[in-house]
Amino acid sequence: MCGIVGYTGKESALSPVLEGLRRLEYRGYDSAGIALVVKKGDPLWLEKRAGKLGNLESILDSVPESHSGIGHTRWATHGGPTDVNAHPHVDNEGKLALIHNGIIENYVELKAMLTARGHIFKSETDTESVVHLLSDARKAHNGDLAAAMREVCGELRGSFTLLAVHSDEPGRIVGARRNSPLVVGVGDGENFLASDVSAFIAHTKRALELGQDEVVDITADSIVITDLAGTVLPHREYEISWDASAAERGGYAHFMLKEIYEQPKSIADTLIGRTAGLDASITAGIDLQGIEKVVIIGCGTAYNAGLVGKYAIEKWANISVDVELASEYRYREPSVDNKTLLIPISQSGETMDTLMAMRYAREKGARVFSVCNTNGSTIPRESDAVLYTHAGPEIAVASTKAFTAQLVAMYLLALHLGKVRGFISADLENEIERELTDLPGKVEQVLETVEPLRALTRQFKDATSVLFLGRHVGFPTALEGALKLKELAYMHAEGFAGGELKHGPIALIDQGTPVVAIMPTENSLLAEKMASNIQEVKARGAIIIAIADAPLASADHLIRIPKTHEFLQPVLAVVPLQVISYEMAIARGNDVDQPRNLAKSVTVE
Ligand code: F6R
């Protein structure tokens, strides 16, 4: 939530800052702004506009030459999306500019104190308190912006990534982070700060991690990282494993479509070197034999992946699994101990709800084995063990390839637990491993047959409600299908377990209600039960769109998918659901990659 970028170096700063904002716009798109240091001691050059980045770009003519600056793309929390509330915010002299991602919880008391000291506030944001506080602290520290930042961070409550520039020190940018992401891009005669590496990937593949409560002070040729006490810390450098083209649309109309079509590759990449089992060293230090309970946490799509993981872990490893919405888990203070294995699932590795729930469980003694797509992010950094998904950068707000990669990771993890605990049979293990290896090819087959979904989806574009039904692992698949449709098409959509229908939801069925049914594998016990559920809704006027690996006479529209092991079916069944949501968003004239009110990487609770 909120994209942050800073550049200092040999190039004219506007270009890398704007380029970074374009790449980070998926993190928030209700306003954007840039501050540049033009001439030592002069007020900063500042432009900011409500609306998408394009609004800001359209007024950027005759921008003065500058070699350092910061930019922000916002997802509003405090104060509506207006020009005035857009970041950067500046001090009353117009020489200090600050951008922020997160929430400052004590901003009301800070504002009262600063107003009493004579500072004039212009916006309704929590962020503006910090710029005035920083301005005073900088004066108290004889113009040392980094020392001022360290002091200010000690006075703030909440979560933040902050970047600041002051016109008395051209070329210097100071940043800080607590519970919100910030990475350093190490260039040659230039350096970058950003919410994530996609902002500077076209310039450098060298990145530095920043830990909790660390302050970073960069110029074109220096990077100093300290803790809040001012102790200089060593650099933790890593190389970014993908290149700029991965973060571009590459000829597709939307990032979402590109990411849907990347799934054969992202699944194959997640499986590479792992189909014969995970290396034992991955969980070194966690006594998996001694684990008595598994708790999976996540939000949204990641939660749905966790639900599928529960079916696999319980069946293949014979351990009881709870799956919890991270935002609910932490605040009900569940019982956790050192016999609990906590599995947080997160694409970004920065989701605040998941992070906070994970910290809670860790403090109580739980061992943490996270599933994450983002190298160097906070959740894997604070875990005992990590299984990385290799989906590459996911830019569209609606998650697609990260979801299928998370499913694959959960299967690998379930197999690993089953083996380590000596529960899974060699036959089943071999069968699953074979089926996993075949998955990328089967997803490819599904993608080759989705074209008719375009016309089919248009038939239902004015439906008031779409229901998704599934049983067993088809139930979380139904939840995921409904979530995708809600966020992209802005339609009422709900996923139900087929068996629950008669306990209430069937009352929603009316003449012509579209029902998307995810059919269990042919000949399974549940296939018959689901077929009965379909008859029940059909008898009440529903139109059935079935996703199945076998013919189904009762379906009004049948979407065939290849056969796979029944637990692995969500990987194939979700692909048409993603395509339906994509096509529905287009049919209804919605912005596919940037759906309203949403932002990727939810870094506030
Ligand atoms: C839905 C979607 C969200 C995320 C959720 C968790 O398409 O993208 O529901 O899945 O916000 O995000 P991560 O996985 O980054 O923790």
Side-chain angles (χ1 to χ4, degrees):
M1 253 161 195
C2 297
I4 281 189
V5 61
Y7 172 83
T8 174
K10 54 199 175 198
E11 277 190 50
S12 167
L14 181 68
S15 156
V17 169
L18 254 185
E19 180 189 337
L21 289 182
R22 277 186 212 114
R23 292 191 193 271
L24 294 178
E25 202 185 5
Y26 70 89
R27 302 178 68 91
Y29 32 83
D30 60 37
S31 55
I34 293 174
L36 301 174
V37 183
V38 178
K39 188 160 171 243
K40 186 169 174 157
D42 278 3
L44 298 160
W45 179 91
L46 176 74
E47 279 296 356
K48 45 190 197 170
R49 282 290 180 278
K52 295 202 171 161
L53 183 60
N55 287 5
L56 176 69
E57 287 183 278
S58 67
I59 52 145
L60 293 182
D61 46 357
S62 61
V63 178
E65 181 70 6
S66 157
H67 293 278
S68 58
I70 54 178
H72 187 266
T73 173
R74 180 170 186 243
W75 187 86
T77 59
H78 292 63
T82 61
D83 288 356
V84 174
N85 289 335
H87 300 212
H89 293 281
V90 289
D91 68 351
N92 290 148
E93 292 167 1
K95 290 167 71 170
L96 173 65
L98 181 94
I99 53 180
H100 168 218
N101 170 27
I103 291 178
I104 305 299
E105 287 166 2
N106 55 334
Y107 80 102
V108 175
E109 56 204 78
L110 290 175
K111 185 171 179 177
M113 176 190 82
L114 290 156
T115 307
R117 280 196 213 158
H119 290 274
I120 297 162
F121 282 72
K122 295 186 187 127
S123 76
E124 302 152 319
T125 64
D126 51 340
T127 307
E128 201 182 351
S129 299
V130 186
V131 76
H132 295 298
L133 197 61
L134 193 61
S135 171
D136 282 0
R138 186 177 170 277
K139 283 178 190 142
H141 285 276
N142 298 319
D144 183 344
L145 189 56
M149 184 67 92
R150 285 190 281 272
E151 182 188 310
V152 163
C153 289
E155 292 176 41
L156 300 178
R157 288 204 309 272
S159 62
F160 50 81
T161 300
L162 300 167
L163 290 193
V165 288
H166 195 287
S167 71
D168 284 351
E169 297 173 273
R172 185 181 197 189
I173 308 176
V174 174
R177 70 168 292 258
R178 176 185 299 162
N179 293 334
S180 186
L182 179 62
V183 282
V184 187
V186 185
D188 180 13
E190 58 183 4
N191 287 311
F192 305 79
L193 293 170
S195 304
D196 73 50
V197 298
S198 63
F200 52 74
I201 183 71
H203 301 263
T204 178
K205 290 185 135 197
R206 293 176 63 199
L208 301 183
E209 282 180 17
L210 281 183
Q212 186 76 334
D213 276 329
E214 290 181 2
V215 170
V216 57
D217 181 358
I218 65 167
T219 64
D221 36 41
S222 69
I223 299 169
V224 179
I225 300 172
T226 65
D227 61 17
L228 294 191
T231 307
V232 175
L233 303 171
H235 288 185
R236 297 182 298 274
E237 183 168 332
Y238 63 98
E239 186 169 318
I240 304 159
S241 57
W242 43 273
D243 59 24
S245 64
E248 278 154 17
R249 281 212 310 267
Y252 285 88
H254 298 96
F255 277 110
M256 183 182 175
L257 194 62
K258 175 182 177 233
E259 289 161 7
I260 288 173
Y261 276 87
E262 277 174 349
Q263 290 179 108
K265 177 170 184 334
S266 52
I267 291 169
D269 288 351
T270 301
L271 286 169
I272 277 178
R274 294 168 168 171
T275 35
L278 295 179
D279 196 300
S281 63
I282 199 162
T283 44
I286 302 183
D287 171 20
L288 291 177
Q289 316 267 16
I291 292 299
E292 287 173 359
K293 178 169 129 185
V294 172
V295 179
I296 302 175
I297 55 168
C299 303
T301 287
Y303 170 79
N304 293 339
L307 288 174
V308 176
K310 172 184 168 81
Y311 287 85
I313 296 173
E314 289 193 334
K315 186 80 181 174
W316 301 344
N318 192 30
I319 317 175
S320 133
V321 182
D322 289 339
V323 189
E324 305 259 5
L325 291 168
S327 53
E328 286 296 315
Y329 181 70
R330 180 199 178 190
Y331 291 104
R332 68 179 173 75
E333 299 184 6
S335 78
V336 181
D337 60 22
N338 60 4
K339 303 272 183 228
T340 306
L341 179 69
L342 186 89
I343 307 179
I345 306 179
S346 177
Q347 186 284 127
S348 61
E350 299 291 351
T351 299
M352 185 61 74
D353 291 311
T354 310
L355 179 60
M356 288 305 176
M358 165 182 150
R359 284 188 183 151
Y360 167 84
R362 208 153 187 243
E363 268 167 31
K364 300 271 173 195
R367 307 315 307 276
V368 179
F369 186 6
S370 59
V371 171
C372 186
N373 195 44
T374 310
N375 212 321
S377 59
T378 308
I379 288 173
R381 267 210 323 271
E382 296 188 15
S383 301
D384 299 298
V386 190
L387 180 58
Y388 278 108
T389 50
H390 296 301
E394 193 179 62
I395 310 288
V397 166
S399 186
T400 53
K401 62 174 180 169
F403 177 67
T404 44
Q406 285 164 352
L407 292 178
V408 166
M410 292 314 292
Y411 300 135
L412 291 170
L413 205 150
L415 275 181
H416 186 68
L417 288 173
K419 278 200 273 188
V420 171
R421 296 168 67 91
F423 185 75
I424 192 166
S425 71
D427 282 353
L428 181 59
E429 185 191 324
N430 290 339
E431 184 190 347
I432 303 289
E433 288 173 355
R434 233 184 7 257
E435 292 287 359
L436 281 172
T437 312
D438 289 347
L439 271 182
K442 289 184 179 174
V443 171
E444 192 92 56
Q445 283 177 44
V446 177
L447 287 167
E448 280 160 13
T449 59
V450 293
E451 180 55 32
L453 292 182
R454 190 179 296 250
L456 176 64
T457 304
R458 282 175 193 272
Q459 287 181 36
F460 301 105
K461 105 181 200 329
D462 298 318
T464 45
S465 188
V466 181
L467 306 184
F468 292 74
L469 293 186
R471 278 179 173 261
H472 192 258
V473 288
F475 169 47
T477 314
L479 294 179
E480 178 60 9
L483 175 61
K484 286 287 96 87
L485 197 65
K486 274 182 261 207
E487 62 179 328
L488 288 156
Y490 318 152
M491 288 168 95
H492 173 245
E494 278 196 69
F496 295 110
E500 270 296 292
L501 262 188
K502 293 188 281 294
H503 301 286
I506 200 162
L508 289 167
I509 305 292
D510 207 346
Q511 208 56 39
T513 304
V515 171
V516 181
I518 294 104
M519 289 302 294
T521 313
E522 188 183 18
N523 296 331
S524 65
L525 170 68
L526 288 171
E528 278 176 19
K529 297 210 181 295
M530 188 70 178
S532 306
N533 297 143
I534 287 177
Q535 293 297 351
E536 289 154 10
V537 288
K538 213 173 148 67
R540 288 159 180 85
I543 304 205
I544 307 296
I545 302 148
I547 297 176
D549 61 9
L552 185 71
S554 54
D556 297 288
H557 306 277
L558 180 64
I559 301 164
R560 284 290 293 269
I561 54 172
K563 277 203 168 55
T564 181
H565 186 277
E566 60 176 326
F567 281 70
L568 273 49
Q569 201 208 41
V571 177
L572 305 181
V574 79
V575 175
L577 302 181
Q578 296 166 344
V579 175
I580 287 172
S581 299
Y582 172 81
E583 293 296 345
M584 194 68 95
I586 296 196
R588 288 166 66 98
N590 297 347
D591 187 332
V592 172
D593 285 337
Q594 297 178 342
R596 71 181 180 198
N597 305 337
L598 293 172
K600 207 164 181 75
S601 194
V602 182
T603 51
V604 293
E605 278 185 273

